[in-house]
Amino acid sequence: MESNMASDKKRDDIRRTTRIIQIDEMLRRGAFVGMDELVFKFGVNKRTVERDFERLRDEMNACKAQAEEIVKAELIYD
C-alpha cells in the first residue's frame, strides 16, 4: 500500500510539473489564457491552477536570486 501511495505521489508530481511547464511555455509565447480555460484544459480546479502559478513564480524568483548571487560573486572577485 505504501508503494502505491509513493507511486501516486510521483504521478501527481509529474502531472503538476507538466502543467507548470505548459503554462510557462504559453506565457513565453505571449499567449493570454484565462483561468477558466486552464481549468478546462488541465481538468483541475481553480485552486490547483493558482498553486501552479505560485510554484512557477517561486521557481522564477529562485532563479533570479541565484543569478543575482552569481553576478555579485563575479563583481566582487573579478
Side-chain angles (χ1 to χ4, degrees):
M1 175 143 171
E2 194 170 311
S3 176
N4 283 344
M5 289 175 60
S7 177
D8 289 346
K9 181 174 178 359
K10 185 174 182 177
R11 233 184 334 272
D12 289 344
D13 289 345
I14 291 169
R15 285 187 192 116
R16 180 182 61 224
T17 300
T18 302
R19 281 193 314 271
I20 291 169
I21 289 169
Q22 290 177 349
I23 291 169
D24 182 60
E25 288 172 349
M26 286 184 255
L27 293 171
R28 288 178 191 272
R29 286 193 314 262
F32 175 80
V33 184
M35 180 65 75
D36 292 338
E37 187 176 342
L38 292 173
V39 166
F40 179 76
K41 175 180 176 61
F42 297 125
V44 296
N45 63 40
K46 180 180 176 183
R47 182 64 188 124
T48 298
V49 174
E50 289 172 349
R51 279 192 297 268
D52 290 344
F53 272 103
E54 290 167 4
R55 177 80 181 262
L56 180 59
R57 180 204 60 219
D58 293 345
E59 292 294 326
M60 297 306 289
N61 285 340
C63 288
K64 179 183 174 199
Q66 286 177 333
E68 288 172 350
E69 288 301 316
I70 291 168
V71 169
K72 286 177 187 175
E74 291 292 321
L75 291 173
I76 291 170
Y77 295 112
D78 276 353

